[in-house]
Amino acid sequence: MARIADKLAVGRTLSFEFFPPKSASAQMTLGRTVAELAPLGPDFVSITYGAGGSDRHRTADVVGWMRTETDVEPMAHLTCVGHTRTDVAALLVDYRRMGVENILALGGDLPADGSTQAGDYRYALDLLADVAATGCFSVGVAAHPEVHPRSPDRAADRKHLADKLQIADFAITQFFFDVEHYTRLVDELAALGIDKPIVPGIMPVTNLAQIHRMAKMSGSEVPGWLVDRLESARTDAEAKQIGIELASALCTDLIDAGAPGLHLYTLNRSEVAKQIRVNLGSVLV
């Protein structure tokens, strides 16, 4: 069983997110991280895509490596920014040849300088339709519990997400820090007739400066209580343990709320994800 939709139909999933390495040393780090997390038995892992499609070849390289050299099931991110339909068709053919069965179809970010190549897609919904039309993949989409930063309002955001989930098999959320953001999202989608699995994404916070930058891009709020807890740390090691404790508590709350799985953002490191899994124990089963 390789398709994520099938895995979610059977029971709760555990998954990790990685990004493509940009150097030989970063590749070695990712290799070690995957080797250390693989024994935890993740149901799948996702491989991100750079802004404007800049990492498209690195993403494919990592996905291909995982398919041939590991037992981990990869899900490739695919974005519409800067892509033609010919680009996407060629990538999907390559992924099928590799045996990849899962795609996360995303709008994607523009490069930091605002530049991008002309493409055929305006919205993730258009890309999603093309991927789903192949019939070859289990397809997921992104969800923003606190509303996508480019959405005009909450109602429009939820309607657009519901439209995507009429086609997609599941969604994975952007990170957030209060379980109420997740439960409200699920309730709002249910009111629109959507009962597809919504897998929460969890970002353990061990570095406040880094998470503030990432939250600004994603539209997530870094709550004051989280800042206070991390600022109380006297050492980097203590801050890491606080981050692990808070992320573990959020995971437990999400499971209690009925989340169909947990998706941990690893930043290509294994220690924090491993400790969270240990903390969860049998709760995750």
Side-chain angles (χ1 to χ4, degrees):
M1 183 189 300
R3 292 197 171 205
I4 293 170
D6 295 336
K7 292 173 180 285
L8 287 164
V10 171
R12 187 174 288 115
T13 60
L14 172 67
S15 53
F16 303 118
E17 182 168 291
F18 305 114
F19 57 84
K22 296 183 178 181
S23 66
S25 61
Q27 175 66 55
M28 292 178 65
T29 297
L30 177 59
R32 287 194 297 269
T33 297
V34 172
E36 290 167 359
L37 292 179
L40 299 182
D43 294 280
F44 65 94
V45 302
S46 69
I47 314 301
T48 67
Y49 219 58
S54 58
D55 283 344
R56 70 178 72 173
H57 300 300
R58 283 193 290 267
T59 299
D61 288 344
V62 173
V63 169
W65 167 73
M66 285 190 172
R67 289 296 299 155
T68 58
E69 303 298 330
T70 78
D71 294 327
V72 177
E73 185 64 37
M75 174 178 67
H77 288 209
L78 184 57
T79 66
C80 65
V81 172
H83 282 70
T84 66
R85 283 188 159 83
T86 301
D87 293 333
V88 169
L91 279 168
L92 294 179
V93 168
D94 287 343
Y95 283 138
R96 285 304 297 144
R97 287 172 176 165
M98 294 176 193
V100 174
E101 296 189 57
N102 302 289
I103 299 287
L104 192 68
L106 307 166
D109 298 318
L110 293 174
D113 61 6
S115 65
T116 184
Q117 298 177 346
D120 292 335
Y121 298 102
R122 185 176 181 187
Y123 298 113
L125 186 60
D126 305 320
L127 172 64
L128 169 64
D130 278 1
V131 177
T134 68
C136 296
F137 304 95
S138 181
V139 192
V141 295
H144 288 70
E146 296 171 80
V147 178
H148 193 287
R150 294 196 294 271
S151 290
D153 55 53
R154 191 177 196 91
D157 181 89
R158 296 316 190 229
K159 176 62 169 61
H160 183 64
L161 178 56
D163 289 343
K164 291 194 293 183
L165 282 166
Q166 293 286 354
I167 302 172
D169 298 309
F170 61 94
I172 295 179
T173 78
Q174 184 54 263
F175 64 83
F176 56 93
F177 301 106
D178 287 305
V179 69
E180 289 79 10
H181 291 309
Y182 175 79
T183 55
R184 182 178 179 183
L185 168 66
V186 172
D187 290 344
E188 288 168 339
L189 289 171
L192 295 172
I194 300 298
D195 61 357
K196 300 284 182 68
I198 311 298
V199 179
I202 297 94
M203 176 72 77
V205 181
T206 60
N207 182 307
L208 274 178
Q210 182 182 52
I211 204 64
H212 275 302
R213 290 194 301 271
M214 297 175 71
K216 184 177 180 180
M217 293 176 61
S218 70
S220 300
E221 177 189 358
V222 181
W225 59 261
L226 188 151
V227 173
D228 291 343
R229 284 293 307 276
L230 285 171
E231 286 183 342
S232 71
R234 292 164 293 183
T235 64
D236 289 344
E238 188 174 343
K240 179 181 290 187
Q241 288 306 308
I242 290 173
I244 291 170
E245 174 191 332
L246 294 176
S248 300
L250 177 58
C251 288
T252 299
D253 289 344
L254 287 164
I255 291 170
D256 290 343
L262 300 173
H263 188 69
L264 298 180
Y265 296 101
T266 69
L267 302 181
N268 286 17
R269 302 287 179 174
S270 63
E271 180 184 355
V272 171
K274 286 171 64 177
Q275 187 58 55
I276 291 171
R277 179 64 188 91
V278 170
N279 290 350
L280 293 176
S282 61
V283 173
L284 189 57
V285 177

